[in-house]
Amino acid sequence: MDDTDQVEAAISKCGHFGRTVFEEGVYNITRKMTWDLVSSRVDLHGQLSFKPDIDFWLNAENTFRVVFIQSQASWFVVTGRDFVIDGHSTGGINGNGQPWWSFFATRTRQDGDGRPISLTLWRVTRGTVRNFRIVSPPFWSNAVAESVDVIYDGMYVNASNADPMFKGKNIVPNTDGINTYRSDSITMLNWDITCGDDCLAIKGNSSNIIARNIICRGGNGIAFGSLGQYANMSDNVSNVMMENLLMTRIDPNVQPNMNNGVYFKSWDGTINGSPPTGGGDGPGTVTDVVAKNVVLDRVSLPLHLFQTNGGHSGDAPSILQFKNLNFVNWTGTSTGSLFVDLECSLAVGCPNITFNDFNIQGPAGQTPRFICKNVEGVSGLPGNVCSFAGKTVTC
């Protein structure tokens, strides 16, 4: 059964200055779909279930390519202004991701290969998504691009492998909770994410971002990046406030990874190929970031910054700069003794990194270690040991 026509007809009738109500149940969606919403409300009590037809969706004609970075594909795009989509904690999207995960477990994955983003907000002004569920996303669960004044309040994401052949393996990479891109004033409140990759990913030209009350179950933690992939475009990120974050390791049979608390990454300063799978030498700045009230549960590396994504030995250093990063009230446990690994570019360094009440517990009997490379103006770590001009200090 195909419900796409019915769903689109309801939105076409009530999506401008009206209210659309979808009762509980499953709505089968068989092709790409856009909702254009203006001064309206959608009550989605049921699930939009996207057909698990891999060959169909990998055909570029069958998806939208509105998220410029890495030529990513979308099967469901919401655009417009002054709207509310309320899932009432029962409604949302079923991506039927298991066939995708099992299929790509033995095949090469590449950015831009056509795996679809589940929910894309594109060119939205003053939109709210509330109490929404995304289960089994084949790829990124959410993306917000070229948008302003968006609130996500209550987002549940679950990408959990159930194929016994891959028990205990991470076959759900790229199932990010969200990627923000070219957007301003994006607020994420009360998220619960189980995934095999970035819980949240703050990508280029994201500003005035708030993330509060976020639970990340497995995966790679919260990411800034990757940045600097496009040599002719600046990636600027500014004014990011994240607080009340929990990064927790879960049953390894479901998801073996819990790699980072928060991490920052950029491409290096040499162009190696072209996007979406290659790139580098992009300029930009990441500044004024606060990560506050962070609890870690058996995370592999609490805080990591590196600027060699996609690079090779002998490449030029990155020209993208991270600065004014603040880490406040971190507690919990790490599975290793290395708590902080900051490896900034020799070309630009990382000015002004501060720690306040950074209290992580590592394995018994192991001395905590902190690596700082090309960091200028750090405070709050033992001995204030970080340095600039190419020197690496480990303590």
Side-chain angles (χ1 to χ4, degrees), residues 33 39 98 134 157 251 260 307 350 382 387:
M33 181 170 63
S39 298
Q98 188 65 61
I134 299 178
V157 171
D251 181 350
N260 303 285
Q307 300 200 246
C350 293
S387 66

Side-chain angles (χ1 to χ4, degrees), residues 49-70:
S49 179
F50 285 79
K51 69 174 182 178
D53 187 335
I54 296 172
D55 289 336
F56 175 83
W57 293 116
L58 290 182
N59 182 341
E61 294 182 356
N62 295 327
T63 57
F64 302 104
R65 298 297 175 110
V66 297
V67 179
F68 170 80
I69 190 170
Q70 300 162 349

Side-chain angles (χ1 to χ4, degrees), residues 98 102 161-169 171 253:
Q98 188 65 61
S102 298
N161 168 59
D163 187 337
M165 182 179 298
F166 304 105
K167 182 178 179 180
K169 298 179 180 179
I171 68 162
N253 290 319

